[in-house]
């Protein structure tokens, strides 16, 4: 019988933690933009990645 009280207490504690996490996420704007991240992957990037400079290329190692 004591175990049921322990489980009820733990479940109430977990429910309060999830409720606090929900309020924290709502206040910090975690759920403000739910559409853009899903659409962003469909568009290609227009910028090419920068090519490495001649000075930044490492010299080839010589085999002894």
């Amino acid at each position: 019988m004591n175990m049921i009280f322990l489980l009820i207490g733990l479940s109430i504690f977990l429910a309060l933690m999830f409720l606090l996490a929900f309020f924290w996420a709502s206040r910090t704007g975690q759920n403000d933009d739910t559409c853009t991240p899903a659409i962003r992957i469909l568009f290609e990037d227009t910028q090419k990645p920068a090519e490495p400079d001649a000075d930044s290329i490492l010299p080839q190692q010589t085999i002894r």
Side-chain angles (χ1 to χ4, degrees):
M1 190 67 182
N2 289 336
M3 193 58 132
I4 193 80
F5 294 122
L6 176 69
L7 291 175
I8 289 171
L10 285 175
S11 64
I12 289 172
F13 176 73
L14 281 174
L16 288 174
M17 294 303 290
F18 283 118
L19 186 66
L20 289 174
F22 173 75
F23 285 127
W24 172 80
S26 295
R27 285 187 180 185
T28 58
Q30 298 290 322
N31 300 323
D32 286 348
D33 187 12
T34 58
C35 186
T36 302
I39 295 173
R40 190 180 316 148
I41 197 168
L42 298 176
F43 299 109
E44 293 184 19
D45 294 335
T46 56
Q47 297 177 350
K48 288 185 175 180
E51 294 184 18
D53 296 334
D55 296 336
S56 65
I57 297 174
L58 298 174
Q60 295 181 352
Q61 294 180 349
T62 57
I63 301 173
R64 296 182 185 178

